[in-house]
Amino acid sequence: MYIIGKSVYRKEAVDKVTGEAIYTNDIQSPGMLHARMLLSPYAHARIISINTEKAWKIPGVRAILAGERFPLTGEEIRDRPPIAVDKVRYFGETVALVVADNPVQAKRASELIEVVYEPLPVVNSPTEAMQANAPLVHENIESYEKVERVNPEPNTNIANRTKIRKGNIQKGWSESDVTVEGTVSFSPSDHAAMETRCSIAEIRQDGYVVITTSSQAPFMVKKLINLYFGIDTGKVIVNTPLVGGGYGGKAAVQLEILAFLASRAVGGKKVKLFNTREEDLVTSPCHIGLDAKIKLGCTRNGYLKAAEILYLFDGGAYSDKAVDVSRAGAVDCTGPYHIENVWCDSLCIYTNHPYASPFRGFSHSELLFAFERTMDMLAQKLGLDPLELRRKNAILPGHTTPTQVRLNTSNLGNLPACIDRLKEIMKWEEGQRSIQPDGLIRAKGICCIWKTSTIDTDSSSGVILTFNPDGSVNLISGVVEIGTGTKTILAQILSERLKMPIELIHVRMKVNTQTTPEHWKTVASRGTYMAGRAVLEAAEDAVEQIKKVAACVLHGAVSDLEVAGGRVFLKDEPSTGIELKDVVYGYTYPNGNTIGGQVIGRGTYTLRRMTYLDPQTGEGRPGPEWTVGAQGVEVEFNKRDFTYKIIRAVSVIDIGKVINEKAAQGQVMGAMAMGLCFGGRESFVFDEQGRVLNAQFRTYRPLRYGENPEYVVSFVETPQIDAPYGARGVGEHGLIGMPAALGNALSIAAEVNLNQLPLIPELIWRAKKGNQHALI
Amino acid sequence: MKTSSSPFREVSLHVNGEIKPVLIKPSDTLLYILRVKLGLTGSKPGCLNGDCGACTVNVDGMAMKSCLMFAIEAPGKRIITIEGLKGTPIQHAFIKEFAFQCGYCTSGFIMNCYSLVENYPDANDELITEMLESNICRCTGYQEIENAVKSVLSSNKNLEK
């Protein structure tokens, strides 16, 4: 390989270490107005009245938007007023938007808006939402516009239900000698990207809407502004500079709509809306919560026969992307195991919590915590080694997924190889639990992972390559650089194909939906695969054009030629050829005659043969491949005060093919860190009224330097045949097993089943001793 | 320096080796002045609360969260922002060790590390942690940042020998 596998530095590296990297909120211009929000102090309340009189007296106020009925928004069900009307449905919901000359004036004015509320009973968990007498978060869900294949159930809090009916569950139970039932639950939490969301909107006199936004989905912003406000998609231009972390949180479209409304209210002037940290945590969409019940059945020897699963996803107050997340939860509802009989209902539930957007792993870290905790409970009941139980049931080519996709050696990675490698790295033979001389308990927990994508069946990715007079290439792709390094990976793929030094490939970082070809959304670990395929097609296109001109100049056939090393030459006689710089802008003969012109390569890739899911059985093909892996966590637990330290976290992932070693390691380590944060410490703390009590970094505490364990990452390489150089998606996979592995390790350490998150010492104490204390 | 009735005062700030006259209000944070008045947007707002460290700069040789300092306190002090670092070893080390992904926390982390390596060339693990735990990185697992800062510390030590 020419450059595949090498740890090439990021193309935007220098910008990022010099402060020259530009993010949305770094953009400012004279005369730009600023918007600030007034937020709901209640999780569920009727809005009785809104008085803006005092707010208008603040100098510099240009517009106040409150109580007005704007088009309803939402990606699958249009249930969300951009600014609350009639009632508020979550703590932190936008109740008013003030536009002023500067943010301080806007904030001051927003504080002077007087809103009278009548508090309503609160739905504080999905389980509560399912109770017969539960208050309704939405009274008339049947009246909402929605896309096909989504079915809100009237007079309930159920936004949608996805069913998996594979095999015959009764047969599964009759073949089972041993059964186990696990119940897990955890509250919503957040992505907490370091860059809080920001959008700038302007409506120009000629009718063009120009939005600059920190988004993973600029092309979706364009489509939604068209859908909600009837502006031609061609007249919506969305710019996205570098994005300061997304993790799914910036795949939802929210501030863009508010910035658009704000600009419209001031005659189209440019308005910026920038989230404070508190707003970014609760007002903007968060990470979904879950209540789950899993029942597993297996033979005496530990072969799984039946899985019955109920997932109640906490979509929060509005369904937006949560419906899709809950659907993905059905698609891979089991862990990566061969189970012939699967029954699953995966529901998206309305509650009075902040609403959910995708979160790195898109339902998989959540469902794997539920499933893999239950697998450990099963192993314990069987008296079987938990890794052995997983290896016995590992999904293999020839097996089918819950949606009945037949797997093969290309669309599925090698799980047994991952398990075996994990066993080695974790020194499994030394035992799972030991007591140290100082009394601390060392314990190891493991879990297996898998994930496919469930993105739209017509999702596509495009790439344009333009050549410069010096023979170098500009690579233009709609992938947003959110930190994953995908655009550098694309440059490596192009460099490999053209056998051209990576320094001669110039990557455009910024996305502009008018001049950049579409990449559906920068989500689902599909950037390398889809945009990579588009790069290869664009390269092919460019090479053909180069060869055509060169064939004339060199007096040969196109098929005689090869492009490599900055030249085009005769395959059988490499010394006869010309420099690329002399062809890529057309070739000029000594007398001035010119043939050809600037070479512009174009490529596009659409996922092939994707289908919708059958509404009764869930049968269907939602994604192109399943990345698999095995993960482990080693903890040191103090049984006196229930504190613990994470010593080591291990990931073995079948990545297909490593394209950039250090970048891939970094993706996996970072994802593991985020998974340990989710599993070990991060959660919104709600009071009885559904208010979030910890919406800042002092009380919502991500891992800090020095609190991190040692990370060990190892890759297995089973190529996905139709992917660029065989590379599988890997952006999310380091995360998705961490909460389960941590839960399994601590359950073994504390000798009690820990089925809730986050796994803080208090939770362990409650599980161990709670029943002895009357106050709990 | 003081004008009657106007909340603004004209002061001179010493930033990145240059003297910058700037109009400020007593309530303006240093971060706000750097970003909005001086166009130095490398320092980032992450929480405006002192919790995340994305706005870290160097004031008179020490790391300082610029969201926690009023600009009115800055005259007479030497301020270095990320834009003032030109090809320092810590910047190279961050690139070499892949110590950033999205880049948003990077300016603050580098400024913190820069102060660390300048002031404490012999820093041990405990001191490194004490300094760096004030910043949050959401993308990496910190292992890469640790490698970067230690590579600079150890190469400095080698130079001294």
Side-chain angles (χ1 to χ4, degrees):
Chain A
M1 285 284 177
Y2 176 74
I3 197 165
I4 296 294
K6 294 199 177 136
S7 297
V8 171
Y9 297 151
R10 289 170 168 275
K11 281 286 185 181
E12 79 287 15
V14 172
D15 278 354
K16 284 181 173 172
V17 300
T18 56
E20 284 176 7
I22 294 295
Y23 302 80
T24 301
N25 187 40
D26 296 336
I27 298 164
Q28 49 190 352
S29 58
M32 180 189 269
L33 301 177
H34 296 265
R36 292 297 306 269
M37 299 179 275
L38 173 69
L39 310 180
S40 167
Y42 294 101
H44 200 192
R46 210 174 300 290
I47 299 171
I48 305 297
S49 66
I50 302 176
N51 185 342
T52 59
E53 205 178 311
K54 286 183 190 157
W56 273 111
K57 291 188 177 141
I58 297 296
V61 170
R62 305 293 162 206
I64 300 178
L65 293 84
E68 205 176 323
R69 234 167 262 284
F70 295 113
L72 291 173
T73 62
E75 283 201 32
E76 304 226 343
I77 305 170
R78 291 180 61 179
D79 55 13
R80 185 178 90 247
I83 298 170
V85 279
D86 303 332
K87 68 177 193 173
V88 290
R89 295 183 174 89
Y90 70 97
F91 172 81
E93 183 168 358
T94 310
V95 176
L97 192 62
V98 180
V99 188
D101 291 347
N102 70 48
V104 176
Q105 295 164 335
K107 172 73 178 156
R108 182 78 193 106
S110 74
E111 285 164 354
L112 293 173
I113 297 172
E114 295 165 329
V115 185
V116 178
Y117 297 95
E118 179 196 325
L120 295 167
V122 165
V123 180
N124 221 352
S125 78
T127 301
E128 269 183 49
M130 293 293 282
Q131 283 163 11
N133 56 349
L136 292 179
V137 179
H138 293 263
E139 288 84 0
N140 301 304
I141 38 180
E142 63 279 10
S143 69
Y144 294 138
E145 278 180 53
K146 59 181 188 65
V147 299
E148 272 181 74
R149 293 172 293 279
V150 178
N151 295 300
E153 298 177 15
N155 300 313
T156 72
N157 286 311
I158 301 171
N160 193 47
R161 182 191 300 261
T162 307
K163 294 180 195 169
I164 298 292
R165 304 289 184 265
K166 178 189 167 189
N168 179 342
I169 194 74
Q170 290 315 325
K171 184 168 161 273
W173 295 131
S174 67
E175 289 169 4
S176 298
D177 305 311
V178 180
T179 62
V180 71
E181 223 175 306
T183 305
V184 315
S185 70
F186 48 86
S187 292
S189 49
D190 202 65
H191 316 77
M194 292 314 297
E195 177 205 25
T196 58
R197 298 162 177 93
C198 182
S199 296
I200 304 166
E202 176 186 12
I203 305 167
R204 296 197 322 221
Q205 297 294 312
D206 57 8
Y208 281 83
V209 174
V210 184
I211 294 175
T212 302
T213 182
S214 52
S215 171
Q216 293 172 252
F219 296 92
M220 187 52 69
V221 173
K222 177 165 103 167
K223 291 173 207 167
L224 292 179
I225 293 289
N226 164 264
L227 179 70
Y228 301 152
F229 304 106
I231 293 159
D232 297 343
T233 45
K235 288 198 153 184
V236 184
I237 301 169
V238 184
N239 294 296
T240 296
L242 293 172
V243 169
Y247 325 111
K250 289 170 183 161
V253 178
Q254 182 204 31
L255 289 199
E256 296 85 352
I257 299 162
L258 294 172
F260 169 82
L261 289 172
S263 175
R264 201 173 68 174
V266 293
K269 287 197 187 97
K270 205 180 268 187
V271 180
K272 180 191 274 189
L273 177 58
F274 172 63
N275 269 353
T276 62
R277 175 56 58 190
E278 291 77 3
E279 289 161 350
D280 210 59
L281 285 167
V282 299
T283 303
S284 287
C286 67
H287 169 206
I288 208 159
L290 175 72
D291 287 354
K293 273 198 187 108
I294 312 254
K295 191 177 167 194
L296 298 178
C298 69
T299 64
R300 210 162 285 110
N301 302 326
Y303 289 100
L304 289 168
K305 289 293 165 189
E308 189 179 311
I309 297 161
L310 178 66
Y311 290 137
L312 304 179
F313 281 97
D314 186 348
Y318 300 104
S319 62
D320 204 48
K321 288 300 299 171
V323 167
D324 209 4
V325 173
S326 68
R327 186 182 299 124
V331 162
D332 290 335
C333 60
T334 64
Y337 308 112
H338 171 54
I339 311 174
E340 275 167 11
N341 309 297
V342 180
W343 184 103
C344 170
D345 267 10
S346 183
L347 279 66
C348 178
I349 306 288
Y350 287 119
T351 66
N352 291 117
H353 287 165
Y355 73 100
S357 75
F359 176 78
R360 198 175 192 175
F362 210 68
S363 80
H364 287 68
S365 62
E366 299 82 355
L367 72 89
L368 283 170
F369 176 68
F371 199 90
E372 289 293 275
R373 273 298 302 127
T374 313
M375 282 291 278
D376 256 35
M377 290 160 68
L378 183 64
Q380 201 181 13
K381 198 163 178 183
L382 286 163
L384 204 63
D385 178 300
L387 256 184
E388 187 52 34
L389 173 67
R390 286 167 172 89
R391 203 177 186 300
K392 265 186 173 176
N393 292 286
I395 197 146
L396 300 171
H399 294 155
T400 61
T401 72
T403 68
Q404 303 175 47
V405 176
R406 182 73 58 187
L407 297 164
N408 60 43
T409 51
S410 172
N411 67 14
L412 178 72
N414 187 340
L415 182 58
C418 294
I419 294 175
D420 292 346
R421 181 88 55 89
L422 181 77
K423 219 168 167 172
E424 234 174 83
I425 296 172
M426 294 199 72
K427 300 202 168 80
W428 199 247
E429 73 286 352
E430 289 178 6
Q432 252 191 301
R433 188 176 192 275
S434 63
I435 301 171
Q436 307 293 105
D438 54 8
L440 297 174
I441 293 163
R442 283 269 188 138
K444 301 168 191 167
I446 49 90
C447 88
C448 291
I449 60 162
W450 70 338
K451 184 183 184 291
T452 190
S453 55
T454 43
I455 59 181
D456 286 1
T457 57
D458 61 352
S459 305
S460 71
S461 183
V463 162
I464 295 172
L465 304 175
T466 61
F467 280 76
N468 298 305
D470 62 3
S472 65
V473 197
N474 305 310
L475 195 166
I476 306 163
S477 150
V479 170
V480 178
E481 184 44 71
I482 53 176
T484 51
T486 308
K487 286 193 149 165
T488 303
I489 299 289
L490 296 181
Q492 282 183 263
I493 290 171
L494 183 62
S495 167
E496 181 73 34
R497 173 62 189 86
L498 297 177
K499 300 279 180 289
M500 178 188 269
I502 190 98
E503 295 75 25
L504 296 183
I505 294 168
H506 309 288
V507 179
R508 192 173 117 153
M509 287 295 157
K510 191 174 156 180
V511 170
N512 170 304
T513 58
Q514 196 179 37
T515 55
T516 315
E518 174 160 336
H519 177 77
W520 183 67
K521 292 180 187 177
T522 305
V523 297
S525 303
R526 285 285 168 249
T528 299
Y529 173 49
M530 294 176 62
R533 282 288 301 257
V535 165
L536 289 175
E537 192 179 287
E540 224 49 63
D541 185 34
V543 163
E544 280 309 301
Q545 295 172 43
I546 291 166
K547 284 181 180 172
K548 229 160 139 184
V549 175
C552 287
V553 181
L554 296 173
H555 304 275
V558 164
S559 54
D560 285 342
L561 302 175
E562 171 112 5
V563 173
R567 292 173 73 241
V568 48
F569 53 83
L570 295 174
K571 279 180 198 166
D572 57 323
E573 196 184 295
S575 60
T576 302
I578 36 175
E579 303 276 313
L580 279 193
K581 69 178 170 58
D582 296 326
V583 221
V584 293
Y585 256 62
Y587 182 83
T588 303
Y589 287 93
N591 72 352
N593 287 176
T594 301
I595 54 168
Q598 186 188 11
V599 172
I600 302 173
R602 80 252 188 279
T604 175
Y605 183 75
T606 304
L607 290 179
R608 67 174 145 78
R609 301 176 68 83
M610 296 295 105
T611 67
Y612 304 119
L613 304 182
D614 181 278
Q616 297 313 319
T617 65
E619 189 179 355
R621 184 181 292 270
E625 64 87 36
W626 278 258
T627 299
V628 297
Q631 299 186 299
V633 168
E634 192 172 347
V635 295
E636 200 170 68
F637 175 70
N638 183 333
K639 62 180 178 182
R640 295 207 324 210
D641 62 6
F642 306 98
T643 59
Y644 64 91
K645 190 170 179 235
I646 305 172
I647 306 293
R648 217 152 69 118
V650 184
S651 284
V652 184
I653 296 175
D654 191 340
I655 192 171
K657 176 79 192 168
V658 175
I659 292 188
N660 183 319
E661 177 79 31
K662 276 197 167 181
Q665 295 255 353
Q667 277 302 295
V668 175
M669 285 195 281
M672 288 161 82
M674 191 168 255
L676 291 173
C677 286
F678 162 39
R681 45 170 63 216
E682 290 182 20
S683 172
F684 285 151
V685 177
F686 293 97
D687 68 6
E688 283 174 2
Q689 277 87 46
R691 291 176 297 199
V692 179
L693 301 179
N694 59 335
Q696 56 169 239
F697 280 148
R698 285 175 198 191
T699 42
Y700 185 101
R701 289 192 77 257
L703 280 170
R704 285 174 185 265
Y705 183 96
E707 293 175 323
N708 55 295
E710 177 201 356
Y711 294 106
V712 182
V713 178
S714 178
F715 294 122
V716 169
E717 294 185 309
T718 309
Q720 179 194 344
I721 292 168
D722 58 326
Y725 303 103
R728 296 177 190 277
V730 80
E732 303 160 290
H733 303 75
L735 189 157
I736 61 182
M738 280 295 117
L742 180 63
N744 288 340
L746 288 168
S747 296
I748 286 159
E751 297 181 299
V752 64
N753 282 316
L754 298 167
N755 290 359
Q756 287 165 300
L757 296 177
L759 294 152
I760 54 173
E762 183 185 335
L763 178 99
I764 306 171
W765 170 74
R766 280 177 192 278
K768 278 298 271 188
K769 306 256 172 122
N771 53 356
Q772 297 167 20
H773 294 259
L775 285 175
I776 302 154
Chain B
M1 189 166 147
K2 202 172 171 185
T3 56
S4 60
S5 78
S6 165
F8 289 98
R9 292 149 197 241
E10 187 176 347
V11 298
S12 287
L13 297 185
H14 192 293
V15 182
N16 298 334
E18 293 174 1
I19 306 287
K20 299 273 189 186
V22 59
L23 281 176
I24 61 170
K25 282 190 292 185
S27 60
D28 289 334
T29 61
L30 178 61
L31 175 66
Y32 174 80
I33 294 300
L34 290 173
R35 285 178 57 83
V36 177
K37 296 285 180 73
L38 300 180
L40 298 171
T41 55
S43 308
K44 303 297 183 199
C47 66
L48 300 177
N49 210 22
D51 295 335
C52 80
C55 64
T56 305
V57 297
N58 183 294
V59 178
D60 278 349
M62 298 300 285
M64 180 71 207
K65 290 171 177 172
S66 63
C67 77
L68 289 185
M69 180 172 163
F70 288 118
I72 198 86
E73 301 171 276
K77 296 190 166 77
R78 283 169 181 272
I79 297 156
I80 307 172
T81 69
I82 185 73
E83 290 89 347
L85 298 192
K86 304 282 183 203
T88 59
I90 191 69
Q91 287 167 295
H92 287 296
F94 263 65
I95 294 180
K96 230 177 122 229
E97 298 296 336
F98 284 62
F100 56 88
Q101 291 178 23
C102 82
Y104 198 81
C105 76
T106 311
S107 305
F109 247 112
I110 289 180
M111 291 312 293
N112 197 350
C113 292
Y114 172 75
S115 303
L116 172 69
V117 298
E118 290 289 305
N119 293 320
Y120 309 103
D122 295 317
N124 58 15
D125 278 355
E126 201 181 337
L127 182 61
I128 296 172
T129 301
E130 195 181 322
M131 287 282 287
L132 298 190
E133 70 184 2
S134 68
N135 292 44
I136 300 174
C137 170
R138 194 61 167 163
C139 291
T140 72
Y142 296 112
Q143 211 156 281
E144 304 94 318
I145 294 174
E146 182 181 354
N147 292 342
V149 74
K150 285 186 175 171
S151 75
V152 175
L153 285 171
S154 67
S155 73
N156 284 352
K157 273 178 207 156
N158 290 339
L159 283 178
E160 282 162 20
K161 276 172 198 168

